[in-house]
Amino acid sequence: MVKKCYIYTRVSTIMQVDGYSLDAQKEKLKKYAEAFDMKVIKEYSDEGKSGKNVDGRPQFKQMLMDIENQVDNIDYVLVFKLSRFGRNAADVLSSLQLMQDYGVNLICVEDGIDSSKDSGKLMISVLSAVSEIERDNILVQTMEGRRQKAREGKWNGGMAPFGYAIDKGILKIIPEEAEIVRLIYDKYINFDMGSEKIAIFLNENGYRKRTHLNNKMNTFTSNFITKLIDNPVYYGKIAYGRRTNAKIKGTRNQFHKIKSEEYMICDGKHEAIISEEIWLKAQIKRKDTSTWKPKKHSLDHEHILSGLLKCPICGGSMYGNVNRKKSKKNPELYYTDNFYYKCKHRPYLDGKICSYNRQWNQKLVDSAVVEIIRGLVKDKRFAIKTKSLIENKVDIDLLNQELLNKKKNLNNAILLKDRLSREIDKLDYDDRHYERKYQDMQNRLSSFYDEIELIEKEIEDLEVKISNIRLDKVTADEIYRCLCCFDKLYDKMNDMERKTFMNRFIKEIQIFPERREDRRIIKSIRFKFPIYYNGEIRNIIEWDSNNTFETIVLLCLKDAKK
């Protein structure tokens, strides 16, 4: 009977396997399939993808999905080497387990491994760990090469910073850009101008920066100016390790960039654009202006809808703004604070230009949203329907059950491991098959240890995930109680509690550019979970000119003013 198989190939961005390209790998796998009477059903290839995790390989994920859905009912997956299947031990073992759950085995042609055999399973466990170590070593060697370049004063990779071009690994000054760099430092140190004001000044006076593949925006932004001021390259230094990768808690292979408190700075071979004295003066100002200062006025006030409210022109988030005036009676001690919501996309702040300059009084907008929610929860059907919908949305019972099952599996694996250890101790040394029995049991014991390690990792990830959900989301009952008792609870909440509630309940709020003739402000509200409104289940509620619910809200607002 002819066996059916998939073939999977991969070439990373770092290197090819023993010089084998994708085509060479495919050719060898096809010859193997032909030699062993296998029929190749599909081919999957991930070119330029790293084997550090599954998430970055779309073709690999599609292959596993096809196996899980039993699309072709195949028997084997052929890969050139185990390292092409993956370089993360946990991913390799979990992916293989998924395949074997559906009767599919893995054959690594070059390594001579077949997972349908006991020895093959053991080799996969060992070699997958070796592949992960090898990947880490490649990464270490690559990073060490860049570190050595920094020590030698050479540019150690990436696009050249603004003001420079790369020539044989050395940064060379671009005169016209260098003049802009000097102008930026001069405005920052000698004038009362922050990064935002400098960006506006440059853009309004016709200065432009070059574009590249990752950033096609030629205008200056506040963020760009800040990074430029912080970069020691401009006074003749090469920095290495200013940002590093940190693992995101609750994930297995996800990382994000964070700033390093300590990093290496070496003398560069390139020419400086500014002096060290100027750069240090800029850092002193940066430290002073970026230091968090405790709030001194309106200590209890929070911008309740900050970030939820969206600009009607550019769609960006609107944030709290304060207009602070000194009291005429005692100018030194007392202030009058008026709070507003304003679009964050002021000209060139982040490269986006928004013409919407209106500031909305916070009390006016907050009251409009509150009255809308009050109108919603007055409908008894809303409370009943929404409660069941919320429970389905934020329930973690399934995760807890999965965690319980994993712990049971762990206990079973430990029991089997312990039992096998006792059986090994009972082996008769005089038995003529002693060596074979002992080796077979040791192999099984190793597989138990691998299984235990994998389950422990899965339990750890699940516990972190459940913990994060509990910390990040209020439970269904808490939301339900808040909604049902909204009239009583909201007025008793402080601003921080109100802001927290709104952020748990609402995803975004759209407003009209101007207050309409019928005094309406709110255009739509999008919720974080489905709610019951006007006989329908929906995530967003929009109001048009004929909407009777808006009329009710307006009447509520008028009553509130009285």
Side-chain angles (χ1 to χ4, degrees):
M1 181 178 178
V2 177
K3 300 288 185 180
K4 295 187 289 184
C5 68
Y6 290 155
I7 64 174
Y8 175 75
T9 54
R10 179 179 65 82
V11 171
S12 71
T13 55
I14 298 176
M15 58 184 293
Q16 294 181 358
V17 182
D18 299 333
Y20 280 89
S21 65
L22 284 176
D23 290 337
Q25 291 179 50
K26 289 178 183 178
E27 184 65 25
K28 187 146 189 172
L29 295 176
K30 288 178 180 178
K31 286 182 178 179
Y32 181 93
E34 184 179 351
F36 288 88
D37 294 326
M38 293 184 183
K39 182 179 180 181
V40 177
I41 305 300
K42 283 181 187 175
E43 300 176 14
Y44 301 84
S45 294
D46 282 313
E47 187 172 7
K49 304 296 183 182
S50 169
K52 67 180 181 180
N53 59 52
V54 173
D55 293 337
R57 295 187 281 160
Q59 284 285 292
F60 187 83
K61 291 171 69 176
Q62 183 60 51
M63 181 181 71
L64 294 182
M65 191 181 299
D66 289 346
I67 291 172
E68 193 172 0
N69 293 329
Q70 302 182 63
V71 174
D72 300 298
N73 291 315
I74 63 162
D75 303 291
Y76 290 97
V77 169
L78 305 185
V79 297
F80 182 67
K81 275 187 150 188
L82 182 61
S83 61
R84 300 302 88 197
F85 190 74
R87 286 188 178 272
N88 180 294
D91 279 347
V92 168
L93 295 175
S94 61
S95 299
L96 178 60
Q97 184 60 58
L98 184 147
M99 288 166 49
Q100 291 188 322
D101 287 344
Y102 293 93
V104 180
N105 280 292
L106 175 68
I107 293 178
C108 309
V109 173
E110 192 73 3
D111 297 322
I113 297 174
D114 184 346
S115 70
S116 64
K117 300 175 182 178
D118 289 339
S119 59
K121 292 179 182 178
L122 175 63
M123 288 300 295
I124 287 174
S125 299
V126 174
L127 290 182
S128 61
V130 172
S131 293
E132 183 170 350
I133 294 170
E134 183 184 11
R135 178 181 67 83
D136 292 340
N137 286 337
I138 292 172
L139 183 61
V140 169
Q141 291 168 13
T142 303
M143 294 300 103
E144 183 56 38
R146 292 181 180 177
R147 190 179 288 108
Q148 182 58 33
K149 274 191 173 183
R151 293 192 190 102
E152 295 171 0
K154 298 178 181 178
W155 184 245
N156 51 24
M159 293 287 296
F162 182 79
Y164 290 99
I166 303 174
D167 183 14
K168 297 179 180 178
I170 306 296
L171 296 176
K172 299 294 182 183
I173 288 179
I174 302 175
E176 57 270 24
E177 290 188 359
E179 285 302 314
I180 299 175
V181 172
R182 296 186 187 101
L183 178 61
I184 290 171
Y185 277 92
D186 178 57
K187 293 291 184 185
Y188 189 73
I189 294 171
N190 300 317
F191 296 84
D192 186 21
M193 296 179 70
S195 56
E196 183 184 339
K197 287 185 178 180
I198 294 173
I200 293 173
F201 170 83
L202 293 173
N203 292 317
E204 289 183 345
N205 285 276
Y207 292 97
R208 293 292 181 266
K209 62 183 179 68
R210 68 177 183 269
T211 60
H212 53 82
L213 291 176
N214 297 327
N215 189 351
K216 297 182 179 181
M217 189 169 59
N218 64 356
T219 54
F220 290 90
T221 67
S222 173
N223 187 48
F224 176 86
I225 301 297
T226 299
K227 288 183 177 179
L228 186 147
I229 291 170
D230 287 345
N231 198 337
V233 73
Y234 294 108
Y235 78 100
K237 301 291 183 180
I238 293 290
Y240 179 81
R242 294 172 65 205
R243 294 173 67 83
T244 186
N245 282 327
K247 187 174 183 292
I248 299 174
K249 290 183 178 180
T251 66
R252 181 172 296 172
N253 295 306
Q254 295 181 28
F255 296 83
H256 62 152
K257 292 282 187 181
I258 60 171
K259 288 185 178 180
S260 301
E261 294 183 3
E262 296 181 1
Y263 53 89
M264 184 173 68
I265 297 182
C266 306
D267 292 331
K269 289 189 175 181
H270 63 283
E271 183 183 350
I273 293 177
I274 60 170
S275 68
E276 183 175 358
E277 180 185 3
I278 291 175
W279 192 82
L280 290 174
K281 283 183 179 179
Q283 302 318 300
I284 292 171
K285 182 178 178 181
R286 279 279 292 131
K287 186 176 181 180
D288 180 58
T289 55
S290 62
T291 301
W292 179 81
K293 297 177 181 178
K295 195 174 180 182
K296 295 181 180 179
H297 309 284
S298 301
L299 300 179
D300 296 331
H301 180 82
E302 291 291 337
H303 309 297
I304 296 171
L305 301 179
S306 179
L308 297 178
L309 214 61
K310 302 300 176 181
C311 174
I313 302 299
C314 70
S317 296
M318 299 180 73
Y319 291 92
N321 194 34
V322 59
N323 182 1
R324 180 164 291 134
K325 295 180 180 179
K326 289 186 177 181
S327 172
K328 294 180 180 179
K329 295 181 180 179
N330 196 337
E332 295 182 0
L333 297 177
Y334 297 100
Y335 292 82
T336 301
D337 286 347
N338 294 306
F339 298 98
Y340 302 90
Y341 293 116
K342 186 177 182 181
C343 177
K344 74 168 186 176
H345 288 147
R346 297 179 292 281
Y348 306 111
L349 177 61
D350 55 3
K352 298 180 181 178
I353 304 172
C354 182
S355 59
Y356 192 65
N357 295 319
R358 169 151 190 175
Q359 295 191 107
W360 283 93
N361 182 282
Q362 288 191 9
K363 287 184 178 179
L364 185 66
V365 180
D366 292 350
S367 296
V369 173
V370 168
E371 294 308 322
I372 287 171
I373 296 175
R374 281 186 172 135
L376 284 172
V377 299
K378 283 178 181 178
D379 186 342
K380 293 181 179 179
R381 292 170 298 174
F382 168 86
I384 296 170
K385 293 281 187 180
T386 302
K387 179 178 184 292
S388 61
L389 290 168
I390 295 171
E391 285 174 342
N392 292 334
K393 182 69 176 177
V394 299
D395 192 10
I396 60 173
D397 286 347
L398 291 176
L399 288 175
N400 283 324
Q401 184 59 48
E402 185 180 354
L403 179 62
L404 183 63
N405 292 337
K406 294 289 183 186
K407 288 182 177 179
K408 287 181 180 178
N409 293 341
L410 178 62
N411 289 333
N412 289 335
I414 292 173
L415 287 172
L416 291 172
K417 182 262 298 180
D418 292 343
R419 184 183 301 171
L420 183 59
S421 296
R422 290 193 294 271
E423 292 296 323
I424 292 175
D425 292 338
K426 293 178 182 178
L427 282 176
D428 185 0
Y429 187 77
D430 294 329
D431 187 340
R432 65 190 182 95
H433 297 302
Y434 173 82
E435 291 295 337
R436 281 186 168 181
K437 290 180 180 179
Y438 180 81
Q439 190 57 52
D440 286 345
M441 287 184 172
Q442 284 293 342
N443 290 344
R444 287 169 58 197
L445 189 63
S446 294
S447 67
F448 278 130
Y449 277 112
D450 290 333
E451 183 181 354
I452 288 169
E453 183 180 8
L454 178 61
I455 296 173
E456 285 175 340
K457 178 61 179 172
E458 291 172 342
I459 287 173
E460 180 186 347
D461 289 344
L462 270 173
E463 287 176 339
V464 172
K465 190 174 182 180
I466 290 170
S467 176
N468 286 343
I469 289 175
R470 283 174 173 162
L471 289 172
D472 190 53
K473 292 183 179 179
V474 291
T475 64
D477 286 341
E478 287 172 335
I479 297 175
Y480 176 63
R481 283 198 300 270
C482 286
L483 288 174
C484 289
C485 305
F486 185 80
D487 282 337
K488 297 177 181 178
L489 287 177
Y490 194 80
D491 292 336
K492 294 180 181 179
M493 293 178 183
N494 59 38
D495 278 359
M496 179 56 75
E497 291 168 337
R498 291 172 179 174
K499 184 175 182 178
T500 301
F501 171 74
M502 290 296 187
N503 276 272
R504 303 290 191 185
F505 187 57
I506 296 172
K507 188 171 184 179
E508 69 174 36
I509 302 167
Q510 298 286 347
I511 61 172
F512 292 107
E514 297 291 337
R515 195 167 189 177
R516 298 168 70 92
E517 291 182 2
D518 55 9
R519 301 181 62 79
R520 284 188 298 146
I521 301 170
I522 308 302
K523 185 178 181 181
S524 69
I525 298 179
R526 184 182 295 274
F527 300 94
K528 287 189 173 180
F529 44 78
I531 63 165
Y532 179 83
Y533 167 68
N534 202 23
E536 296 179 357
I537 303 299
R538 55 175 73 182
N539 283 73
I540 184 170
I541 299 177
E542 298 178 280
W543 293 279
D544 55 35
S545 57
N546 298 320
N547 196 294
T548 56
F549 178 76
E550 182 71 16
T551 306
I552 295 172
V553 171
L554 288 171
L555 291 173
C556 291
L557 280 171
K558 290 178 181 179
D559 292 339
K561 289 180 180 179
K562 293 178 181 179

